[in-house]
């Protein structure tokens, strides 16, 4: 059996690694070793519980307000120790977080091969998304095998000189996860969501957390949302607030106590994915939501100045609108007031895969590492 150690630490990594972790544990060809850094705590635990994942190792590193340097050093030293104890044949990391990069470096120091899941996304700007673009590039250098969600991601890696035989286009495991949690007549347990009239109101789902948006951009975003809701009676906003206090402070100050704006705690993945499915459009700076919402045919306006996920933009369901208050107000207003513009964007497209990425990754792992 191939000893595969998966390492992840934040909510989005957990969602996107969950199908793979469960695939590994159900497959006789592999011995699965699950290691969480717990860069996130509550937001990670909600995903572990949903997908019934019990980690073999938990570094429990989350501390409020810690710096990137602190996360990096804690992950390197924690994973270093675990790798020496667990002796995996390969370490799998996901995406672009500081857990991803630091775990890859720890694996490299132990001369254990690294598989990078969701490899090859690039914005071209190392400060946006920050520090994710750099984390991706550094992980790409450390990785031995790259699981690229799309052909475009593969092209990015080829341009950086990665050998073609080490890049496999798999689709994104987020679609695998999404298919596991969507129910057509889903009923929310959350009392706020339960009361919302999804038939007669237009629901905007808002999420915001990116570091490059902390401060004035976040203030602009929240003011724009306030403007939008104040001028349209049939529009309501649901904002499951990220647990980072730097975001919650501004959110509560600008949007707290407003009619038709629901500031709620982060949702577990199943209710959140079903909320996306029932809503009208999304305003977000999230990466994962740019991949999920197009699968439902929901327009997404990206509250950033760029995206490393151009496929859904090319397909027409995602637009990058920046972080200027007036621009966000105008572009959202266009979708709310002009049904032709709305329906031009509301097309179900799925450039991120067919929900079968997990199987492809497992087969390639067996082909490459089965004879070691
Ligand atoms: C991290 C990732 C980012 C990813 C995001 C997904 C890095 C540098 N950033 O950003 O790439 O897009 O996760 O959400 O790797 N907190 C809690 N409980 C939790 C989670 C967070 O209280 O369960 C609070 C803590 O105060 C913590 C803060 O949020 O210090 C920030 O967490 P951190 O992981 O440093 O950064 P994120 O902004 O969440
Ligand atoms: N998500 C969730 N609950 C929420 C908000 C988001 O489960 O309250 C999911 C969302 O569907 C997506 C992922 O979390 O799969 C995105 O996480 P986040 O925006 O924190 O990170 P990013 O994708 O930007 O790295």
């Amino acid at each position: 059996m191939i000893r595969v150690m998966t390492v992840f630490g934040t909510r989005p990594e957990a969602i996107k690694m969950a199908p793979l972790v469960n695939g590994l544990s159900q497959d006789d060809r592999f011995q699965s070793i699950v290691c969480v850094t717990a860069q996130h705590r509550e937001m990670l635990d909600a995903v572990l519980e949903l997908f019934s994942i019990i980690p073999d190792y938990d570094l429990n590193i989350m501390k409020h307000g810690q710096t990137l340097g602190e996360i990096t050093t804690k992950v390197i030293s924690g994973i270093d120790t675990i790798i020496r104890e667990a002796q995996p044949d390969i370490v799998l990391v996901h995406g672009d977080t500081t857990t991803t990069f630091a775990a890859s470096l720890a694996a490299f120091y132990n001369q254990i091969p690294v598989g990078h899941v969701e490899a090859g996304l690039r914005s071209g700007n190392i400060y946006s998304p920050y520090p994710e673009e750099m984390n991706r590039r550094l992980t790409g250098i450390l990785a031995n095998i790259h699981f690229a969600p799309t052909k475009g991601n593969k092209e990015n890696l080829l341009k950086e000189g990665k050998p073609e035989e080490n890049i496999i286009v798999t689709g994104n495991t987020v679609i695998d996860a999404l298919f596991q949690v969507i129910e057509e007549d889903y009923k929310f347990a959350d009392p706020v969501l339960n009361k919302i009239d999804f038939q007669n109101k237009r629901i905007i789902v808002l999420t915001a957390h990116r570091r490059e948006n902390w401060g004035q951009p976040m203030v602009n975003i929240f003011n724009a949302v306030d403007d939008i809701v104040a001028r349209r009676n049939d529009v309501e906003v649901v904002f499951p607030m990220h647990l980072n206090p730097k975001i919650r402070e501004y959110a509560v100050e600008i949007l707290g106590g407003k009619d038709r704006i629901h500031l709620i705690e982060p949702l577990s993945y199943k209710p959140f994915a079903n909320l996306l499915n029932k809503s009208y459009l999304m305003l977000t700076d999230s990466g994962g939501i740019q991949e999920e919402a197009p699968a439902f045919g929901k327009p997404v306006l990206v509250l950033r100045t760029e995206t490393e996920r151009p496929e859904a933009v090319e397909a027409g369901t995602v637009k990058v609108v920046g972080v200027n208050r007036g621009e966000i107000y105008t572009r959202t207003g266009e979708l709310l007031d002009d049904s032709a513009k709305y329906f031009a964007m509301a097309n179900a497209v799925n450039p991120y895969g067919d929900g079968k990425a997990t199987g492809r990754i497992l087969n390639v792992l067996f082909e490459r590492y089965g004879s070691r």
Side-chain angles (χ1 to χ4, degrees), residues 217-275:
M218 206 62 82
V219 170
N220 298 345
I221 291 168
F222 297 151
N223 278 319
V225 168
D226 190 21
D227 297 342
I228 291 158
V229 174
R231 290 175 177 81
R232 287 171 189 85
N233 286 331
D234 69 330
V235 170
E236 296 193 19
V237 169
V238 179
F239 180 12
M241 291 181 293
H242 193 287
L243 288 177
N244 193 334
K246 288 189 196 281
I247 289 123
R248 296 169 79 97
E249 260 169 46
Y250 292 118
V252 172
E253 194 183 311
I254 299 169
L255 300 175
K258 300 272 165 92
D259 280 350
R260 291 179 285 111
I261 298 182
H262 309 287
L263 302 184
I264 61 173
E265 292 307 311
L267 289 166
S268 179
Y269 185 52
K270 188 166 185 170
F272 185 78
N274 282 285
L275 173 65

Side-chain angles (χ1 to χ4, degrees), residues 1-7 20 24 29-35 56 87-92 362 365-366 369:
M1 286 202 290
I2 310 165
R3 292 170 64 78
V4 182
M5 186 164 114
T6 43
V7 182
L20 205 45
L24 284 165
R29 297 174 296 177
F30 302 101
Q31 184 177 348
S32 168
I33 306 161
V34 181
C35 174
D56 300 290
Q87 296 285 319
D89 296 313
I90 180 163
V91 169
L92 291 185
L362 296 185
L365 286 176
F366 186 70
Y369 297 97

Side-chain angles (χ1 to χ4, degrees), residues 276-288:
L276 292 186
N277 196 20
K278 288 174 189 287
S279 65
Y280 195 72
L281 64 89
M282 281 96 220
L283 295 177
T284 188
D285 65 6
S286 162

Side-chain angles (χ1 to χ4, degrees), residues 7 18 49 60 64 82 135 170 226 275 319 327 331-332:
V7 182
E49 193 188 332
N60 197 25
H64 291 289
I82 292 168
N135 284 341
T170 59
D226 190 21
L275 173 65
K319 285 199 164 90
E327 186 71 9
R331 303 287 289 276
T332 311

Side-chain angles (χ1 to χ4, degrees), residues 67-351:
T67 63
L68 295 174
E70 283 176 275
I71 301 172
T72 308
T73 50
K74 285 196 234 172
V75 173
I76 293 175
S77 94
I79 298 292
D80 184 51
T81 307
I82 292 168
I83 285 179
R84 278 185 279 120
E85 186 186 316
Q87 296 285 319
D89 296 313
I90 180 163
V91 169
L92 291 185
V93 295
H94 182 279
D96 58 13
T97 71
T98 295
T99 285
T100 313
F101 159 58
S104 306
L105 187 57
F108 169 72
Y109 283 161
N110 285 281
Q111 298 193 30
I112 302 296
V114 173
H116 188 197
V117 182
E118 198 180 276
L121 282 70
R122 296 289 183 273
S123 71
N125 177 353
I126 58 167
Y127 290 105
S128 182
Y130 168 83
E132 290 83 3
E133 173 80 359
M134 184 58 86
N135 284 341
R136 280 188 191 278
R137 293 194 201 185
L138 295 170
T139 305
I141 290 169
L142 294 162
N144 303 71
I145 186 156
H146 312 268
F147 297 107
T150 69
K151 285 187 186 143
N153 302 147
K154 176 177 174 177
E155 291 301 318
N156 291 337
L157 293 165
L158 288 173
K159 274 185 222 146
E160 291 175 10
K162 313 278 188 277
E164 184 162 15
E165 64 273 21
N166 294 344
I167 310 169
I168 294 94
V169 177
T170 59
N172 197 311
T173 54
V174 78
I175 305 298
D176 305 27
L178 199 61
F179 286 173
Q180 292 176 25
V181 297
I182 290 301
E183 288 171 8
E184 265 327 303
D185 53 354
Y186 185 81
K187 300 269 178 305
F188 296 103
D190 182 300
V192 175
L193 297 182
N194 221 351
K195 272 196 224 137
I196 292 178
D197 180 357
F198 286 93
Q199 301 301 327
N200 297 306
K201 299 279 183 193
R202 292 185 295 172
I203 307 305
I204 298 178
V205 178
L206 168 68
T207 80
H209 72 84
R210 300 234 80 84
R211 272 166 206 258
E212 64 274 14
N213 281 347
W214 289 359
Q216 193 57 45
M218 206 62 82
V219 170
N220 298 345
I221 291 168
F222 297 151
N223 278 319
V225 168
D226 190 21
D227 297 342
I228 291 158
V229 174
R231 290 175 177 81
R232 287 171 189 85
N233 286 331
D234 69 330
V235 170
E236 296 193 19
V237 169
V238 179
F239 180 12
M241 291 181 293
H242 193 287
L243 288 177
N244 193 334
K246 288 189 196 281
I247 289 123
R248 296 169 79 97
E249 260 169 46
Y250 292 118
V252 172
E253 194 183 311
I254 299 169
L255 300 175
K258 300 272 165 92
D259 280 350
R260 291 179 285 111
I261 298 182
H262 309 287
L263 302 184
I264 61 173
E265 292 307 311
L267 289 166
S268 179
Y269 185 52
K270 188 166 185 170
F272 185 78
N274 282 285
L275 173 65
L276 292 186
N277 196 20
K278 288 174 189 287
S279 65
Y280 195 72
L281 64 89
M282 281 96 220
L283 295 177
T284 188
D285 65 6
S286 162
I289 293 169
Q290 294 176 56
E291 296 155 345
E292 292 161 337
F296 300 125
K298 304 292 177 176
V300 180
L301 298 182
V302 178
L303 308 168
R304 293 164 56 177
T305 49
E306 45 51 48
T307 181
E308 61 291 307
R309 292 168 166 93
E311 296 83 1
V313 176
E314 282 151 22
T317 44
V318 169
K319 285 199 164 90
V320 178
V321 297
V323 289
N324 173 283
R325 177 176 179 171
E327 186 71 9
I328 297 169
Y329 176 79
T330 306
R331 303 287 289 276
T332 311
E334 281 170 5
L335 290 185
L336 292 169
D337 302 338
D338 181 338
S339 59
K341 282 198 170 140
Y342 178 84
F343 286 109
M345 276 185 86
N347 292 313
V349 291
N350 208 342

Side-chain angles (χ1 to χ4, degrees), residues 16-77:
K16 292 167 166 185
M17 284 296 238
L20 205 45
V21 167
N22 286 333
L24 284 165
S25 69
Q26 288 155 18
D27 189 326
D28 292 344
R29 297 174 296 177
F30 302 101
Q31 184 177 348
S32 168
I33 306 161
V34 181
C35 174
V36 296
T37 64
Q39 178 178 329
H40 285 173
R41 189 70 273 174
E42 304 91 318
M43 285 160 58
L44 170 75
D45 291 344
V47 184
L48 296 177
E49 193 188 332
L50 174 67
F51 288 98
S52 308
I53 295 171
I54 300 169
D56 300 290
Y57 297 94
D58 187 335
L59 292 178
N60 197 25
I61 69 159
M62 199 197 91
K63 199 183 87 189
H64 291 289
Q66 64 188 342
T67 63
L68 295 174
E70 283 176 275
I71 301 172
T72 308
T73 50
K74 285 196 234 172
V75 173
I76 293 175
S77 94

